[in-house]
Amino acid sequence: MKSQGKMIFCLALFLVTECSHNRPQIHLMDGHRHQGPEGKPKVGRIQEKCQGPCTTSYCKQPCAKNFHGEIGFTCNQNKWQKTTETCTSLSVETLFQDVNGVSRVSIAAAAIPLPSLNLRVPELINNVAQGIRKNCPLDYACIIDAVKSSEATSGNIAFIVELLKNISIDLSDNVDQEKMKSYSEVANHILDPAATLNWAFIPDKNASSDLLQSVNLFARQLRLHNESESIVQELFIQTKGSHINRNTSEKRFHFSMNLKNTTEGISGMVEIPRQELWKLQNASQAVSIAFPTLGAILTETHVRQGLLTRPVNGLVLSVVSPESLKHILLTFGKMNKSRDTRAQCVGWHSGKRRWDEKVCETTGDNVNQVRCRCNTSKAVMSFSILMAPKSTTDKVLEYITCIGLSISILSLILCLIIEATVWSRVVVTEISYLRHVCIVNISVSLLTANTCFIIASNFNSQGKDYSLCVAITFFSHFFYLSLFFWMLFKALLILYGILVVFRRMLKSRMMAIGFVVGYGCPLVIAVTTVAVTGPGNGYVRAEACWLNWDNTKALLAFVIPALVIVAINLLVVFIVAINTQRPSIGSSKSQDVAMIMRISKNVAILTPLLGLTWGFGIITLIQDIPSVFHIIFALLNAFQGFFILLFGTIMDHKIRDALRMSMTSLKGKSRAAENPSLSPTNGSKLMNR
């Protein structure tokens, strides 16, 4: 009886002690915040300074009541500065408590070093994995309440990271959607922006990297049941997955998330290209995870170590895919949309525990979003964008484009004004008439294309709908093609003047052929391109309103016709050079031969310039190309209108003579208006007297 009484007394004493130790009301010090009615995590400061003057280099302070651990401070500029904190209220015991507060365990997990109790109960649980297998093996839900009710101190964050790490290693078998939801709900608690600063005080500076690696490892064991599903929809972590095989056209995962301190959502997209899916031998699955706050946590942790100086400017996107898939495309919406910054696509190397710029290439960067092409591996499964000031090259390209485009538009307008002024004086033959029709239509085409380019630039910064972007791209494509096809018609006009001697075609028929070639052919190509690539959203680029290159290679529908026309025009110039060495047949043809020579000189100059421009445009698509090629392309492209004015109009002596005569005529009329006695009418009256 005495032994039984002692046992009952010890058990009662144990229960009272445990209830007192684990009661939900925790006394906080120095400005702690309790959990509000909305279920937000409690974040406290525990203790912000050491007591006494800052004389030693380091001091420690105990944690608040009901917390285990300590707070470390260093003396910096005669002020105490908090450096580390291990205050935790969580333990393996608190994870598996009943609602009435009675603990099911008596000893802390061996994998998580926490103070242990020297008691024995009938059913001993030695670690977290054992507790979960016993109490909630199907969904891990038994640990959620204890985690969500805890305060997000540095010590508790470290405990939860270690908890998730242990689950990823010891409980990664048969992972289904319910387990993934519970796992993510636990991770979501420490990813709250209110807890970001506390990550910096965790002694283990790899905690944020461990969290990312643990989530990726756990997601790799996930088994999907449906064809495509949205698995997790927490505030600070989302997960989507899908079955894939070699017959899948392409796979995209779209994410849109909101932060408490932003009015706009943060978007992101993961895309597995069709070329990569063809590598799959068997049916498989792909899982993608989005973190809106983990980038800031990684930044906060590593800035203090001097390892990371550039902040993350978008979602952190993880991709768990078969090992045979090596390349993916990612689109990141920018958090900071300042025009004074540029983006660098990066991947997180889990072994080196830092961002790696070598695994990603930035393929597009505008005000709203960034397009990346990245290589995946076991060590690199997570990607994001870093923010940095714009380089000198970027600023130079912007200035060249802005100034050059302005000069180009003014030059084209001046070209059209000159053509209208001298039209009646220069169109004396059929060939000269058609030649000036070509110049006018080339100028109109390039002027309209440049206008579309300006509209597209403003469109990108305003972020409007996809249909409008398709329309702008279509007209840009059409009018840029028209520029080259009117150049082709000029070359055909040269061949017509040289080869056709005894029979001439009606001017109206030649005009009809000119408009069919100049506008009909570009229309067919532009319509076919949008019809083929449009249904799969592969017509335009994600980062700009222009023809797609990464997925459908729609840009080839402009590049190939343009370069073919350049080759044909150069061939025509070569034929002209050979034929004009022969004596002319009859003096009646001398005027036409002279006109053909002027057209040939014009084509011989403009064709290499236009061809060289877009030749450099193709070179800029090559990966890791030096920036000098981008600058040359920007120069040639921006000043095309000025080249047309200079070589197509001003350098033609017939146009200069006609313009001089028009100016002389205008001066004569102005003098006659100022002195009526010099007019021809008055002169005849004087002679008749």
Side-chain angles (χ1 to χ4, degrees), residues 237-256:
I237 178 171
Q238 290 185 6
T239 306
K240 297 183 180 182
S242 176
H243 291 282
I244 54 175
N245 55 63
R246 63 181 308 161
N247 296 322
T248 307
S249 58
E250 62 182 10
K251 197 64 206 174
R252 295 179 178 179
F253 300 107
H254 295 269
F255 295 96
S256 181

Side-chain angles (χ1 to χ4, degrees), residues 671-672 674-683 686:
R671 289 176 182 176
E674 292 174 1
N675 191 356
S677 63
L678 297 178
S679 66
T681 305
N682 292 337
L686 292 172

